[in-house]
Amino acid sequence: MNSPVKLTQEASEMVKNIMEKKGIPEDYKLRIGIKGGAGCLGVNYLLGFDKPREGDEEFDLDGIPVLIEKKHRMFLIGMKVDWVTKDGAAGFTFY
C-alpha cells in the first residue's frame, strides 16, 4: 500500500537527523496525523515519534518507519511534508 503522504528530501534528512541525535528508540516510528479543528477552521497536522497502536497503518518513507491512523488517511492524501528554513526560523510544514 502506498503512503498517502510524502516527505521531501529535506524533511526526510531532518527526520533521520532527529532520530539519530535524539536517540529515538528502535520501537518508535514517525507518526503523521491530524488534530481536528472546529467547523471551517480545518485541521492541524501533527508530527512526532510514537509506538504503533491498534488502527495504525505502517509505511516506509525513504527508510523512515511511518505510522498513520487509518481514520486520518483521507485527510493526508496527496500531502507533502517539507523542512523549511526562512527568516531565521525553521520547521516542518505541510502542503
Side-chain angles (χ1 to χ4, degrees):
M1 177 180 346
N2 291 331
S3 173
V5 65
K6 305 289 183 214
L7 298 175
T8 65
Q9 181 177 347
E10 292 81 5
S12 180
E13 289 172 4
M14 185 53 68
V15 169
K16 289 176 182 176
N17 186 23
I18 292 169
M19 291 173 76
E20 181 181 320
K21 291 202 185 237
K22 297 287 184 181
I24 303 298
E26 294 268 336
D27 56 341
Y28 278 68
K29 301 173 189 228
L30 179 67
R31 180 171 296 281
I32 302 174
I34 62 161
K35 182 177 181 181
C40 58
L41 295 178
V43 297
N44 293 313
Y45 297 98
L46 305 172
L47 275 178
F49 295 98
D50 199 3
K51 289 184 178 182
R53 300 187 296 232
E54 187 176 328
D56 284 341
E57 295 179 323
E58 296 190 33
F59 303 94
D60 182 280
L61 296 179
D62 192 27
I64 299 168
V66 174
L67 301 169
I68 297 174
E69 282 188 61
K70 287 180 185 177
K71 64 184 180 181
H72 293 179
R73 187 181 226 290
M74 70 180 190
F75 296 100
L76 296 169
I77 292 173
M79 296 297 294
K80 288 186 181 177
V81 179
D82 196 8
W83 176 259
V84 177
T85 304
K86 184 176 181 180
D87 299 329
F92 290 100
T93 186
F94 287 74
Y95 63 94

